[in-house]
Amino acid sequence: MDIFELMDIGENSEIEFKKAKNSVPKDLWETYSAMANTNGGTIVLGVEERLGEAERFCVSGINSVEKVLKDFWDTINGSKVNKNILMDRDVEIIDIDSKKVIRIEVPRANYSDKPIFLNGNPYNGTYKRNYEGDYKCSVSEVNAMIRDSSDDNYDSVTIENYDINDLDMETVHRYRNAFSSRNLHHIWIKLSDEDFLMQLGAIARDRNTQKVWVTVAGLLMFGKGLSIREKFPYLNLDYLNMIDSDTDFRYGDRVTIDGNWENNLFNFYMKVINKLVEGLPIPFRLEGIVRVDDTPVNRALREALVNTLIHGNYSIEGTIKIMKFKNRFEFHNPGNLRIPVSDVYSGGISKCRNKNLQKMFRLIGFGENIGSGFPKILKAWYDQKWAEPILEENFRINEVVLKMSMISFVPEVYREKLKLMYGNGLDSLNTDEVKILLAAITEGEISNARVQCILDMHSKDISDLLRSMVNRGLLVEEGFGRGKKYMANEEFCWEKEELSIEEDLKEESKTNNLDRRIKSIDDLNLLNVKLNKVEEDILKIIINDGSTTANIIMKNLGLSKYKSIKSLNDLIEKELIKRIGVSRNTKYVLNYD
């Protein structure tokens, strides 16, 4: 996006403006740390915020841009920050009407580079980003980043003073039964419990003391509830069946830590998985004459549940929460992704937080090979013609959510509902607009990021399309900036839209007929009106073509967007032209009123 589009959006979790008239702002480095540790973003130096003004942000410019730029690079490569993750192409000088600004694109830091912190102190200089700005990370958040930065298996670390007595042996034996059924001739089957757990990585011997301690994975997978809660006080497990509930705040069935079972991950998985797949509207299939009840959808739900457990961060506050609704599933786990969401969708890349847990589940047939699990979830849902699963990160509360809707995404299924809502005008919508409306109806709400998963379009073009659909009443919007959501307008009236368009066309036609009588600027009797060269050129274009747009002015006269719109607005103030239409349909014509 260009600077003016960023100014239109305003500041949010991924956009920040700073005045920077003569020097690098001191608080820039907090924003750099915050964006790098979150999801990246754009910092613009030389744009000033004006509280209470209609146009909240304005280009103030930088007096000595070369000096500011040199100071910036000197500082970021010095001792102020622990790591420079920027390249030359991430920083550029932009000239806007003889004023210079600096645009800095801060990428999301690789998990191995986090935390990005200031002044040599990660516990006092690490920041994260939310809609209110930059906030200092807690000790637990910093520790979580430090643990995630290593490729060593954190869950293979031994926990001193926790031994095999902290494990629930009934859980271990249930796991062993599942292992034996899956691996009939495996050499581990004949091992003692202790040797089996040693091979599995649930316990390990300290080479210095020769004492055998439980590993992080072993305690989480097989531990006694009390022992787990002593070591992981933040751990919380919750399954909610919302199918028979009339609101999203009531549940019909629940599995939680209530003292009735040993609350380890293996027991939670076994309790929840059957509840998830029960009653699914998926017919069985036959292989020869043998009925096969296991389906790709069942396997996708198993994969989703396993992923939730093995990617959870059990050292920070949060809940493993699984929710089953009438037409969707939700999987919540504490902690953020180690790789971008786009890489998860692509598959082939996996940076599991708890590799030992992943191995334990895979040895009994739960969980796919590295990088292949999520694409199989997508394929299972695609084959059912259901809406594509949505994977989201919430950096504010450090949570990852996977939403899997069972509502059909086939246009024919919702054609009638669209017809009822949008009338005959549905036929005049293009394919992209129909897809957006379908997503808004089936999923309740959509965002620019969600539409990027549906349409092969740039985010800027999607922003323009969504804005156009809002202006035409097809969608309603809520929120601001990158957090903005769009919903289908249930009260849309196509007849009003058709009438509005018809009136605009009549007005434009009337104006165009008058335009044909005008041969030159002199014909407008503008001798008493002072015009500059740009304004005269704009009027000539309107006289010749009947109308114009800001984009045409930018292209034909070589002006910036800001200069084009400002000149057009100046002509409107002089009552020489007027604006008709909205959004993409905006045009400028001669004013005869």
Side-chain angles (χ1 to χ4, degrees):
M1 299 185 184
D2 65 29
I3 301 300
F4 295 104
E5 288 168 330
L6 294 174
M7 290 165 61
D8 286 342
I9 293 174
E11 290 184 330
N12 59 35
S13 62
E14 297 177 11
I15 302 173
E16 178 78 14
F17 299 110
K18 297 186 183 296
K19 188 175 178 181
K21 198 71 176 177
N22 299 297
S23 60
V24 177
K26 293 181 180 180
D27 62 353
L28 177 144
W29 303 111
E30 294 177 4
T31 304
Y32 166 75
S33 166
M35 287 183 170
N37 289 325
T38 312
N39 203 34
T42 302
I43 304 173
V44 182
L45 305 182
V47 172
E48 182 178 356
E49 183 176 12
R50 302 182 300 181
L51 298 177
E53 298 287 335
E55 293 184 1
R56 186 176 175 185
F57 299 97
C58 70
V59 176
S60 54
I62 302 173
N63 288 337
S64 180
V65 69
E66 290 79 11
K67 175 184 176 300
V68 171
L69 192 61
K70 182 180 185 303
D71 290 346
F72 171 82
W73 284 116
D74 287 346
T75 304
I76 200 172
N77 289 314
S79 59
K80 180 67 177 178
V81 299
N82 67 312
K83 190 174 184 64
N84 172 21
I85 62 171
L86 301 183
M87 302 180 70
D88 288 344
R89 64 169 181 260
D90 296 322
V91 181
E92 67 172 323
I93 299 173
I94 299 175
D95 194 336
I96 301 177
D97 294 334
S98 301
K99 295 179 180 179
K100 296 185 184 297
V101 302
I102 296 175
R103 175 176 177 151
I104 305 167
E105 293 293 340
V106 181
R108 172 177 176 154
N110 189 286
Y111 72 95
S112 61
D113 291 329
K114 295 180 183 179
I116 302 297
F117 57 88
L118 312 180
N119 303 319
N121 187 344
Y123 294 104
N124 195 45
T126 299
Y127 293 82
K128 290 186 75 173
R129 187 84 173 160
N130 64 19
Y131 285 108
E132 286 71 43
D134 313 317
Y135 70 94
K136 194 172 291 186
C137 291
S138 65
V139 171
S140 63
E141 288 177 318
V142 174
N143 285 336
M145 290 187 210
I146 292 173
R147 283 193 298 270
D148 279 350
S149 67
S150 174
D151 282 323
D152 295 336
N153 293 350
Y154 165 70
D155 65 344
S156 66
V157 174
T158 56
I159 309 173
E160 191 173 348
N161 297 322
Y162 283 74
D163 59 25
I164 198 169
N165 294 314
D166 290 292
L167 303 183
D168 176 52
M169 296 313 295
E170 288 187 13
T171 303
V172 172
H173 293 156
R174 282 195 293 272
Y175 178 90
R176 293 201 66 171
N177 289 336
F179 179 88
S180 299
S181 299
R182 175 78 178 180
N183 307 277
L184 295 176
H185 305 292
H186 203 288
I187 59 174
W188 293 358
I189 291 176
K190 296 181 180 181
L191 296 176
S192 66
D193 285 342
E194 183 170 341
D195 289 340
F196 178 81
L197 292 170
M198 189 80 70
Q199 293 292 339
L200 197 62
I203 61 176
R205 188 180 304 278
D206 186 317
R207 291 185 178 275
N208 294 322
T209 65
Q210 296 304 306
K211 291 184 178 180
V212 175
W213 304 123
V214 172
T215 65
V216 169
L219 185 62
L220 289 170
M221 190 73 163
F222 306 117
K224 294 176 181 177
L226 181 59
S227 298
I228 293 175
R229 292 193 296 275
E230 286 177 352
K231 180 60 182 176
F232 299 100
Y234 294 126
L235 182 133
N236 197 11
L237 305 171
D238 216 351
Y239 164 79
L240 300 171
N241 186 326
M242 314 292 287
I243 289 180
D244 298 323
S245 303
D246 53 2
T247 72
D248 282 359
F249 303 100
R250 297 177 57 189
Y251 57 87
D253 182 24
R254 187 177 190 182
V255 176
T256 190
I257 298 176
D258 55 10
N260 291 319
W261 56 286
E262 294 292 0
N263 47 271
N264 52 57
L265 298 188
F266 181 74
N267 284 342
F268 182 73
Y269 176 90
M270 298 304 293
K271 283 179 173 291
V272 170
I273 188 58
N274 290 329
K275 294 178 181 291
L276 280 179
V277 301
E278 182 181 5
L280 282 178
I282 307 297
F284 70 88
R285 60 187 176 86
L286 296 176
E287 289 187 0
I289 60 174
V290 179
R291 172 172 171 162
V292 179
D293 290 313
D294 195 21
T295 68
V297 170
N298 288 6
R299 292 193 288 273
L301 289 172
R302 288 202 301 268
E303 183 69 23
L305 180 55
V306 168
N307 281 348
T308 303
L309 298 178
I310 66 176
H311 289 287
N313 189 332
Y314 299 101
S315 298
I316 64 173
E317 191 170 353
T319 299
I320 295 287
K321 183 167 62 176
I322 316 300
M323 304 178 76
K324 181 178 181 179
F325 296 86
K326 289 181 180 179
N327 54 16
R328 76 180 190 277
F329 300 91
E330 290 187 9
F331 300 83
H332 301 243
N333 71 262
N336 296 118
L337 297 170
R338 300 178 82 193
I339 60 176
V341 170
S342 57
D343 288 350
V344 179
Y345 273 86
S346 300
I349 302 174
S350 178
K351 294 296 179 183
C352 181
R353 179 171 281 114
N354 301 295
K355 295 180 182 178
N356 237 18
L357 285 176
Q358 183 182 42
K359 179 186 71 175
M360 291 175 182
F361 277 111
R362 192 169 62 246
L363 285 173
I364 55 174
F366 303 148
E368 296 292 339
N369 292 326
I370 294 175
S372 65
F374 198 78
K376 288 190 176 181
I377 292 176
L378 297 178
K379 185 178 187 306
W381 248 240
Y382 176 82
D383 289 343
Q384 292 298 319
K385 297 181 173 60
W386 289 338
E388 184 178 74
I390 304 171
L391 184 66
E392 297 177 325
E393 286 183 278
N394 187 326
F395 292 98
R396 183 177 61 83
I397 59 175
N398 295 315
E399 183 182 69
V400 175
V401 182
L402 173 62
K403 299 177 182 179
M404 301 170 67
S405 170
M406 293 187 294
I407 297 177
S408 175
F409 203 69
V410 181
E412 291 77 6
V413 175
Y414 277 86
R415 194 81 181 173
E416 287 306 314
K417 182 166 184 177
L418 286 172
K419 199 78 170 178
L420 288 173
M421 290 178 62
Y422 299 107
N424 295 329
L426 184 63
D427 296 330
S428 67
L429 301 180
N430 62 43
T431 303
D432 291 340
E433 291 170 332
V434 171
K435 287 181 179 179
I436 289 174
L437 290 177
L438 281 167
I441 291 173
T442 58
E443 299 173 16
E445 63 181 26
I446 56 173
S447 63
N448 187 301
R450 174 57 181 152
V451 177
Q452 289 179 50
C453 297
I454 300 170
L455 304 180
D456 185 19
M457 294 173 60
H458 190 275
S459 62
K460 177 187 179 302
D461 297 324
I462 290 174
S463 293
D464 291 341
L465 181 55
L466 289 171
R467 189 180 302 115
S468 171
M469 294 177 72
V470 169
N471 290 335
R472 288 148 55 199
L474 298 166
L475 298 172
V476 292
E477 61 184 3
E478 184 178 285
F480 61 93
R482 299 290 176 90
K484 186 177 290 185
K485 302 292 184 182
Y486 301 84
M487 288 74 70
N489 185 3
E490 299 280 353
E491 299 179 356
F492 179 81
C493 178
W494 188 263
E495 287 75 15
K496 291 181 181 179
E497 173 73 4
E498 286 180 317
L499 180 61
S500 175
I501 294 174
E502 184 178 348
E503 289 176 348
D504 283 344
L505 290 175
K506 286 181 179 179
E507 180 66 27
E508 184 177 351
S509 175
K510 175 184 174 183
T511 304
N512 286 341
N513 288 335
L514 289 172
D515 285 347
R516 295 190 186 100
R517 305 181 206 160
I518 305 301
K519 303 299 183 184
S520 69
I521 291 180
D522 292 336
D523 293 338
L524 290 172
N525 194 24
L526 301 176
L527 298 177
N528 295 325
V529 180
K530 185 177 180 180
L531 299 175
N532 60 39
K533 180 66 166 57
V534 171
E535 290 170 339
E536 286 188 5
D537 290 341
I538 292 175
L539 286 173
K540 289 177 183 178
I541 291 174
I542 296 176
I543 291 171
N544 290 333
D545 300 341
S547 65
T548 193
T549 66
N551 286 336
I552 290 175
I553 298 302
M554 291 167 60
K555 181 178 179 180
N556 289 2
L557 301 184
L559 303 177
S560 67
K561 182 177 181 180
Y562 173 78
K563 184 66 174 178
S564 299
I565 294 176
K566 185 178 185 305
S567 299
L568 288 164
N569 288 336
D570 287 345
L571 287 171
I572 291 175
E573 289 183 6
K574 294 175 181 178
E575 298 183 348
L576 298 176
I577 66 173
K578 61 183 177 180
R579 183 191 299 110
I580 62 172
V582 294
S583 190
R584 282 188 171 184
N585 298 320
T586 298
K587 292 184 178 181
Y588 298 87
V589 299
L590 293 176
N591 182 15
Y592 290 94
D593 295 338

